[in-house]
Amino acid sequence: MTPPRRLPADARRRLHDTSQTQLTPDRLAQPVDVDLGLDEERREPVDAIPGWHSYGVAAAVERVRDGHALGIGEFVLRVCDTGSDEHPTPARLDRHIRAIARLVREAPPGVRCTVDPFALALNPDGSWGLRDDGDRLDIPATYTLLRDTAAGVATAGAHGIVTLGRLPLEVSHTRAGVDSVRGATRLYSFSQNSETSTAYVYLDEDHRDTGQKILPGNLAEMTLWSLLDAFQGTQVSVTKPLENAHATLDVARHIEHEELTGRLLRSLERADPGLPPLTGAAAGLVREVLDSQETLQKSLAQLELYGYAVSGTTRALGVLAAVDGLRLARARLEESWHNWLAAAGPHGGRIIDRNAISYLRGDLLGV
């Protein structure tokens, strides 16, 4: 947006008449929900997110090709199977991996396919992980699932795999799975994943606080887990939700200023009141980092930053467009993207947003 005329310098504070952040198609990544329970050519609307669909495998391939034709170079694949209610088993995981391998194989050359394994162990209450016979989260079994999934995704040739920001050692086990097959798949992590009220609009309202994720506003925790995940092997730290640009900026500053990381680590040694006493796996990770701060700094130097728009944001933009028009809703989306890119600075990679294809077509989902 440009002013109708250029005002004299004494009549304005604006220094630039163009945005300092560049919003181009290659800065966007498009999620694609793939449902193995659908006929291959079919797509099914998702009621909670107007305009959003799940796709059969062949239809998902076409969705990727459509996005690529618009200049999008990365797609985040979330595979589920509504035709089966079985718990994750080797046979079910194998079906997922075969579908991922096909999507990778049939995507246009050069396209990055990154896998979000969210659907594999999502529970009705919104928590993530396998449960034992007593309906408690079975952490060892969940870590085994993560290793097996990562090995399969890497074997399928996927560019990346996402860890979900739920369990302390999820990155270590995912890294072990990729390494077990000598894979080159990159690790993406929702390190700052918070209990935002706008996530999971497809779940019952009472089940949107999972008990696993960081509470909104707890910036020190978000940054700490970004550092700990990088130490474990994360290569792409994904801010979720995208609106938490302050969290992205804080991680970017820790990448650039080693003294900030040292200060945070020293505060942990002093049991700083800004964070509760650490126990269990988190405490063990901190001890490892304190004994090997050089390893952490090397990891941070190579860390790339992404942002992720959650489902509730997508839905809210559709509502805004319906009430006040498409132009205002698109402007709001653009502003959120520019603000995040500014926060990420030179470390910023892509923005993962369900609206990527729709936006590039001049539209928005749900309009």
Side-chain angles (χ1 to χ4, degrees):
M1 184 172 64
T2 56
R5 59 189 176 87
R6 183 180 176 87
L7 296 171
D10 290 345
R12 66 179 194 165
R13 284 194 170 193
R14 179 182 296 178
L15 302 179
H16 294 273
D17 283 327
T18 58
S19 176
Q20 292 181 274
T21 53
Q22 298 302 311
L23 185 56
T24 53
D26 64 325
R27 301 304 299 270
L28 301 175
Q30 175 68 55
V32 180
D33 285 357
V34 185
D35 188 348
L36 304 184
L38 295 177
D39 292 339
E40 287 204 352
E41 305 286 346
R42 184 180 174 188
R43 70 173 193 170
E44 186 75 20
V46 176
D47 292 340
I49 312 174
W52 185 246
H53 294 80
S54 294
Y55 297 83
V57 176
V61 171
E62 290 305 311
R63 180 70 167 170
V64 170
R65 290 172 178 166
D66 289 346
H68 181 255
L70 294 169
I72 298 174
E74 184 166 1
F75 297 82
V76 178
L77 310 175
R78 300 203 320 172
V79 181
C80 70
D81 187 354
T82 57
S84 172
D85 58 0
E86 65 178 323
H87 295 293
T89 63
R92 181 184 179 191
L93 179 57
D94 183 63
R95 291 196 299 273
H96 281 234
I97 298 303
R98 281 189 279 112
I100 291 165
R102 178 178 169 185
L103 289 160
V104 170
R105 186 173 61 250
E106 297 186 12
V111 162
R112 295 179 175 183
C113 291
T114 296
V115 176
D116 177 351
F118 178 68
L120 268 178
L122 175 64
N123 297 305
D125 63 358
S127 64
W128 198 91
L130 298 180
R131 292 186 177 274
D132 60 21
D133 293 338
D135 202 33
R136 298 177 296 267
L137 285 174
D138 188 333
I139 304 306
T142 301
Y143 283 146
T144 298
L145 175 65
L146 288 175
R147 292 194 300 273
D148 292 345
T149 302
V153 167
T155 301
H159 169 79
I161 183 170
V162 178
T163 67
L164 303 173
R166 302 300 191 101
L167 300 172
L169 300 180
E170 60 186 33
V171 175
S172 291
H173 288 276
T174 302
R175 175 84 272 163
V178 172
D179 290 345
S180 71
V181 295
R182 299 182 179 180
T185 297
R186 288 169 62 80
L187 264 63
Y188 292 52
S189 295
F190 294 152
S191 300
Q192 305 153 325
N193 203 359
S194 64
E195 299 283 3
T196 172
S197 59
T198 56
Y200 314 131
V201 295
Y202 38 80
L203 292 177
D204 183 273
E205 185 175 348
D206 293 335
H207 293 155
R208 292 182 192 167
D209 186 340
T210 69
Q212 292 179 308
K213 298 182 293 179
I214 301 166
L215 292 176
N218 288 1
L219 180 60
E221 287 183 59
M222 296 178 189
T223 301
L224 174 62
W225 277 111
S226 296
L227 303 183
L228 295 179
D229 284 349
F231 180 78
Q232 293 180 77
T234 290
Q235 294 154 297
V236 181
S237 183
V238 186
T239 297
K240 179 185 180 187
L242 180 80
E243 291 87 346
N244 284 352
H246 64 294
T248 299
L249 179 60
D250 203 43
V251 174
R253 286 174 171 166
H254 280 76
I255 292 172
E256 296 168 357
H257 302 288
E258 186 174 345
E259 66 272 18
L260 293 180
T261 300
R263 187 185 307 165
L264 177 59
L265 295 175
R266 288 192 297 274
S267 74
L268 296 173
E269 289 183 299
R270 299 192 305 268
D272 189 288
L275 287 168
L278 301 180
T279 59
L285 273 174
V286 168
R287 286 193 295 271
E288 288 185 46
V289 171
L290 290 170
D291 290 339
S292 188
Q293 295 184 40
E294 184 177 343
T295 299
L296 172 61
Q297 288 305 140
K298 289 180 179 178
S299 298
L300 289 177
Q302 301 173 43
L303 190 66
E304 190 173 11
L305 304 180
Y306 273 43
Y308 185 103
V310 296
S311 57
T313 298
T314 303
R315 178 173 177 169
L317 285 170
V319 173
L320 178 62
V323 174
D324 291 315
L326 177 61
R327 183 177 178 180
L328 180 61
R330 283 175 58 86
R332 182 67 193 91
L333 179 62
E334 290 171 3
E335 288 167 15
S336 69
W337 286 351
H338 280 294
N339 285 336
W340 183 85
L341 288 168
H347 313 288
R350 289 184 163 108
I351 294 170
I352 304 168
D353 199 313
R354 290 173 175 85
N355 258 314
I357 288 177
S358 296
Y359 174 82
L360 293 175
R361 287 175 170 168
D363 207 345
L364 285 180
L365 290 170
V367 178

